[in-house]
Amino acid sequence: MLSIKNLRVSINGKEILKGINLEVKPGEVHAIMGPNGTGKSTLASVIAGRDIFDVEEGEIQFRGKDLLDMSVEDRASEGIFLGFQYPVEIPGVSITNFMRTAVNEQRKYRGLDPMPANEFLAKMEEKKQMLEIHAKLANRSVNEGFSGGEKKKNEIFQMAMLDPSLAILDETDSGLDIDALKIVANGVNKLRRPDNAFVVITHYQRLLEYIVPDIVHVLFDGRIVRSGGKELAIELEEKGYEWIRA
Amino acid sequence: MEKDPNNILEEVTQSEYKYGFYTDIEMETAPKGLSEDTIRFISAKKNEPEWLLQFRLEAYRKWLGMTEPTWAHLHHPPINYQDIIYYAAPKKKKELASLDEVDPELIETFNKLGISLEEQKRLSGVAVDAVIDSVSVKTTFSETLEKQGIIFCSFSEAVQKVPELVKQYLGTVVPADDNYFAALNSAVFSDGSFCYIPKGVRCPIELSTYFRINAANTGQFERTLIIGDENSYVSYMEGCTAPMRDENQLHAAIVEIIALKDAEVKYSTVQNWYPGNKKGEGGIYNFVTKRGICKGNNSKISWTQVETGSAITWKYPSVVLMGDHSVGEFYSVAVTNNYQQADTGSKMIHLGKNTKSTIISKGISAGHSSNSYRGLVKMTKRAENSRNFSQCDSLLLGDKCGAHTFPYIKTENKTSIVEHEATTSKISDDQLFYCNQRGIGTESAIGLIVNGYAREVLKQLPMEFAVEAQKLLSISLEGSVG
């Protein structure tokens, strides 16, 4: 589904990713772990298409298409979702309006008519139920005045609404209390299907107690230095990142 | 050249009716320039009573002794007032056979605004099937209004029909010598609307539904007078979300509103005059004086404006809060793009006790434009226990535009409270990336963010216009971010 080959990325002349190789297949959950400042968020942003980074070398293929030539919104419509570490506030824009615009723009890209209003509202209600989000999200402005936990839950809610093929969650667990963490993990587990995939970026092993990954990668100094099964995460937690460095 | 679709629009708006009474039409146009003779000519053409002629002449004499204001944050070449034609019979647009003959760019804008096909035809001068012609709609409305004693007609008509009402109120809110452009308007005003709501009557319809269609052709010196008698209510909508093109560069309108005891007048405007091209060439100079007076106790006047057009906007809809417990409101969204300039805001003059005013101003600047808020809140000695809340926000798109805030506050008593808040923000790359990542393209994202920013004001608009105004904001900012 996602195939990254020898990806080298820099910002302002400073190399951050130094040759990343990553293969994600449908149905898989990958975890990318690593200390702060090793390029985890950069990798997520580059896959999503943020243009502040310079791709020096390498390629990213997504379902057979070359991603690097595509705009951010086209990548999203192709089925890539990024759960943000720090979701921004958009004052005055209700979540309903925001999601409706997003859903319909993606439908337009795929040659579909806009979703009828009643169908859309029913879908919103269904996803809220599924994720056990009880808050009255719909009429609040996007992320405005949200607590850290609410922002992250809102990211998961948006993911459920957009139903991406590949969801990349960038430190979605950071700053969450255990209840919010469970809602986030629960959301991912309920959305897992044989035809979609997740890349979960996290600093701690904690989230991986709730989302069980198929493959764990350790990113260190711009390179994936080790990949393995879910035991790798536990090993990391026990030995710390110093163990990798050594 | 005539076949170039880009010229059709110009042709439509500029050419006079080519067939029939050509000579007559020519005779109905005053020679260029402004003099007492011009004013006598206008007044005679309109068959006005002597007092109105004197009103005009007096205004003209005052105007001669005044100078154009220079305090606004606006720049434009000097206006040659002798190079303007001050009276021309309403221009008859050349009728087109079908929408195929209309500039496709205009049609595209109509479609984006969601304007119905029939109305598109009207607005662009295509002949309309008589059965669906809104004249019949107009008649129905007029009957409904008449039954309630509401007078709603053109200003010229009112001068003939209800001269005593016009005489009683004309120039009482905006005196002829109020300012340079008000004096000019008082001397040469062309036409506009007159509205009188009798005691105890709640106007059953938005005075917009039909007005919109008839908004064109009021001329460049529009004059509007709205009177809400005791305990009455009216919501009035001026203007049009559809693009308005006019070859007259200078527009100087006056709107006067009088609210008597317990009356409420709600006035909404969407202004979308031609803003000039991307290089800042052409476009309308819009110098408007709008003022209302809450004359009676417990009266209320509310201004809501969405300003997206004109090369220059100079406009400060104001409320004089004379009656005790009266309320004044001003809600504004002003968008400037390319080389547009806007200096706009409000004045709230508190005279009565326990009066309350609110100013919510949202400026949005893009391109090389300049957008200023200028406002005055005055609490006079008598206006005890009065309150004002002002919020003036500026949103900047790009780094070549400018936003300025000039708030003036004068308080002459110790029991009144004036609050002023101001913010300046930008659409951040983070916000755009966030929207893009959800599949929303940059132009849609800007539209979404700007509409969110302006929501507080837009929700004041009558429903149908709110929807169009939202689309209009997005369209006005198209291409503003690279």
Side-chain angles (χ1 to χ4, degrees):
Chain A
M1 176 178 284
L2 180 74
S3 168
I4 300 176
K5 290 204 177 81
N6 190 30
L7 184 69
R8 289 176 173 272
V9 172
S10 65
I11 183 166
N12 300 329
K14 188 181 176 236
E15 197 172 30
I16 297 176
L17 299 181
K18 303 170 180 174
I20 298 281
N21 292 290
L22 183 67
E23 290 285 333
V24 179
K25 295 193 182 72
E28 290 179 345
V29 173
H30 289 236
I32 296 181
M33 301 184 70
N36 288 326
T38 52
K40 301 192 297 290
S41 290
T42 301
L43 178 61
S45 296
V46 169
I47 297 170
R50 182 113 215 208
D51 62 3
I52 54 172
F53 300 101
D54 299 314
V55 175
E56 310 284 354
E57 214 186 313
E59 61 175 70
I60 306 178
Q61 297 261 333
F62 180 65
R63 303 204 303 187
K65 288 185 185 166
D66 186 359
L67 267 197
L68 293 175
D69 288 342
M70 270 186 226
S71 66
V72 180
E73 58 271 28
D74 286 356
R75 296 182 199 202
S77 296
E78 285 287 339
I80 291 181
F81 178 90
L82 175 60
F84 285 76
Q85 185 176 0
Y86 304 108
V88 292
E89 299 186 359
I90 308 179
V93 178
S94 70
I95 290 175
T96 308
N97 193 10
F98 182 70
M99 269 296 99
R100 203 166 163 213
T101 308
V103 165
N104 285 335
E105 292 254 324
Q106 293 203 10
R107 285 173 70 96
K108 193 161 111 191
Y109 179 88
R110 294 167 195 152
L112 299 169
D113 286 334
M115 187 180 279
N118 53 352
E119 198 179 311
F120 175 81
L121 292 173
K123 187 172 175 174
M124 271 191 69
E125 204 44 48
E126 177 206 320
K127 300 299 176 190
K128 267 174 71 178
Q129 300 271 331
M130 184 185 93
L131 299 172
E132 294 166 42
I133 295 175
H134 306 296
K136 283 183 179 157
L137 281 177
N139 291 318
R140 293 178 66 182
S141 297
V142 177
N143 295 320
E144 196 184 23
F146 282 28
S147 69
E150 281 176 324
K151 283 184 183 174
K152 299 297 172 69
K153 281 190 244 173
N154 185 25
E155 293 293 288
I156 299 299
F157 171 70
Q158 292 183 37
M159 176 174 81
M161 287 298 294
L162 295 169
D163 193 19
S165 313
L166 174 68
I168 304 159
L169 303 180
D170 187 7
E171 306 227 8
T172 304
D173 52 333
S174 68
L176 291 193
D177 61 31
I178 199 76
D179 292 335
L181 191 72
K182 276 182 186 165
I183 285 181
V184 167
N186 185 31
V188 173
N189 291 331
K190 281 188 172 159
L191 292 167
R192 277 180 89 158
R193 289 197 310 259
D195 64 339
N196 65 17
F198 292 82
V199 174
V200 180
I201 294 173
T202 181
H203 186 72
Y204 303 104
Q205 191 265 339
R206 190 175 64 148
L207 179 66
L208 305 180
E209 288 171 17
Y210 301 98
I211 303 172
V212 181
D214 299 296
I215 299 163
V216 176
H217 308 274
V218 180
L219 189 64
F220 185 73
D221 192 24
R223 289 183 187 89
I224 290 177
V225 291
R226 197 177 284 237
S227 300
K230 59 179 188 252
E231 329 74 53
L232 183 56
I234 298 160
E235 201 175 348
L236 263 180
E237 186 78 2
E238 283 168 4
K239 297 184 182 170
Y241 287 116
E242 290 305 318
W243 165 65
I244 296 295
R245 221 165 270 166
Chain B
M1 189 175 155
E2 281 179 2
K3 280 179 185 165
D4 182 346
N6 289 321
N7 290 327
I8 290 177
L9 179 71
E10 227 168 83
E11 233 176 84
V12 168
T13 51
Q14 292 188 358
S15 60
E16 295 187 5
Y17 193 52
K18 280 179 182 154
Y19 314 98
F21 314 96
Y22 184 74
T23 337
D24 284 349
I25 285 170
E26 197 171 49
M27 280 173 65
E28 299 232 346
T29 302
K32 261 188 192 175
L34 186 51
S35 66
E36 293 208 1
D37 286 346
T38 320
I39 291 163
R40 287 178 196 280
F41 177 87
I42 295 170
S43 192
K45 276 287 165 203
K46 292 177 164 288
N47 197 22
E48 288 176 351
E50 181 61 23
W51 64 264
L52 191 50
L53 172 63
Q54 290 309 322
F55 176 87
R56 288 176 181 272
L57 288 172
E58 210 172 299
Y60 172 66
R61 288 171 200 143
K62 282 173 176 159
W63 179 75
L64 285 176
M66 298 168 90
T67 47
E68 217 176 289
T70 52
W71 43 261
H73 195 78
L74 302 170
H75 303 280
H76 59 85
I79 299 164
N80 182 355
Y81 293 91
Q82 295 305 333
D83 196 35
I84 293 169
I85 294 170
Y86 287 90
Y87 182 84
K91 280 171 191 161
K92 229 171 180 174
K93 290 179 180 178
K94 192 181 86 179
E95 286 210 332
L96 304 175
S98 78
L99 278 176
D100 299 342
E101 294 178 36
V102 179
D103 183 353
E105 207 180 299
L106 189 63
I107 298 290
E108 204 187 313
T109 310
F110 283 151
N111 287 334
K112 282 180 189 165
L113 286 168
I115 290 171
S116 75
L117 267 183
E118 282 308 316
E119 203 176 347
Q120 288 190 15
K121 287 181 183 171
R122 268 196 163 272
L123 291 165
S124 51
V126 175
V128 182
D129 185 345
V131 182
I132 337 171
D133 190 348
S134 73
V135 169
S136 55
V137 180
K138 180 188 162 183
T139 317
T140 321
F141 281 149
S142 299
E143 278 170 12
T144 315
L145 297 177
E146 258 168 48
K147 254 185 227 164
Q148 311 234 25
I150 295 169
I151 303 166
F152 182 45
C153 59
S154 76
F155 194 90
S156 307
E157 241 179 296
V159 170
Q160 305 302 326
K161 266 167 57 180
V162 283
E164 62 295 337
L165 268 178
V166 178
K167 192 177 177 185
Q168 188 185 346
Y169 288 107
L170 181 70
T172 58
V173 192
V174 181
D177 58 351
D178 185 81
N179 66 69
Y180 188 79
F181 298 106
L184 180 65
N185 176 289
S186 300
V188 301
F189 62 83
S190 31
D191 209 342
S193 304
F194 177 88
C195 176
Y196 172 80
I197 313 292
K199 271 183 198 171
V201 170
R202 201 184 156 84
C203 185
I205 51 170
E206 296 276 348
L207 288 187
S208 57
T209 347
Y210 118 98
F211 185 67
R212 176 161 97 161
I213 294 161
N214 295 276
N217 278 329
T218 44
Q220 64 192 121
F221 300 102
E222 199 171 339
R223 184 96 199 187
T224 300
L225 182 56
I226 300 171
I227 302 148
D229 211 328
E230 291 179 12
N231 197 24
S232 66
Y233 168 84
V234 65
S235 168
Y236 182 94
M237 173 89 199
E238 172 212 86
C240 191
T241 49
M244 299 280 277
R245 303 237 169 180
D246 193 315
E247 64 181 301
N248 297 312
Q249 196 170 33
L250 175 67
H251 277 243
I254 290 183
V255 176
E256 294 181 283
I257 298 176
I258 295 108
L260 300 181
K261 191 169 159 278
D262 299 318
E264 179 178 351
V265 178
K266 194 173 154 64
Y267 187 105
S268 317
T269 322
V270 173
Q271 187 262 116
N272 189 17
W273 293 101
Y274 181 52
N277 66 16
K278 283 184 180 150
K279 293 180 197 152
E281 296 156 349
I284 303 291
Y285 293 180
N286 197 20
F287 297 92
V288 190
T289 307
K290 291 187 172 185
R291 193 176 304 152
I293 182 163
C294 288
K295 217 168 174 178
N297 293 349
N298 298 310
S299 54
K300 180 176 174 184
I301 292 174
S302 175
W303 299 100
T304 305
Q305 62 172 20
V306 176
E307 303 280 319
T308 59
S310 295
I312 291 180
T313 301
W314 180 99
K315 182 177 174 187
Y316 317 92
S318 307
V319 183
V320 179
L321 297 129
M322 195 170 143
D324 293 345
H325 302 280
S326 58
V327 176
E329 293 174 341
F330 173 73
Y331 298 94
S332 169
V333 179
V335 180
T336 53
N337 196 359
N338 300 317
Y339 286 88
Q340 281 177 277
Q341 307 174 59
D343 193 299
T344 183
S346 182
K347 288 190 275 188
M348 293 292 173
I349 315 291
H350 293 251
L351 303 177
K353 293 188 180 75
N354 303 307
T355 47
K356 214 173 113 186
S357 64
T358 307
I359 293 175
I360 308 285
S361 164
K362 303 269 181 178
I364 299 157
S365 340
H368 292 78
S369 68
S370 162
N371 203 328
S372 305
Y373 167 82
R374 186 182 303 275
L376 168 69
V377 176
K378 186 173 178 180
M379 300 288 181
T380 59
K381 207 167 175 187
R382 218 195 133 254
E384 290 160 9
N385 297 311
S386 294
R387 291 198 71 136
N388 163 267
F389 174 73
S390 301
Q391 187 180 328
C392 307
D393 297 335
S394 305
L395 184 68
L396 301 171
L397 280 76
D399 53 9
K400 291 179 181 66
C401 51
H404 314 269
T405 307
F406 305 98
Y408 304 90
I409 297 169
K410 290 180 187 163
T411 311
E412 294 165 3
N413 71 61
K414 284 180 181 163
T415 51
S416 294
I417 299 169
V418 177
E419 284 176 87
H420 181 92
E421 286 178 11
T423 65
T424 301
S425 52
K426 287 185 111 174
I427 292 185
S428 69
D429 290 342
D430 286 345
Q431 283 175 321
L432 288 178
F433 181 62
Y434 192 78
C435 293
N436 289 159
Q437 210 297 310
R438 299 305 185 242
I440 303 168
T442 301
E443 295 231 313
S444 302
I446 289 171
L448 200 65
I449 294 167
V450 164
N451 275 299
Y453 167 77
R455 184 158 82 166
E456 223 178 323
V457 174
L458 295 177
K459 72 182 184 195
Q460 299 293 332
L461 287 174
M463 188 59 192
E464 58 194 288
F465 284 99
V467 175
E468 277 183 24
Q470 277 177 23
K471 292 179 190 161
L472 181 62
L473 287 189
S474 314
I475 293 170
S476 305
L477 290 167
E478 263 174 20
S480 59
V481 168

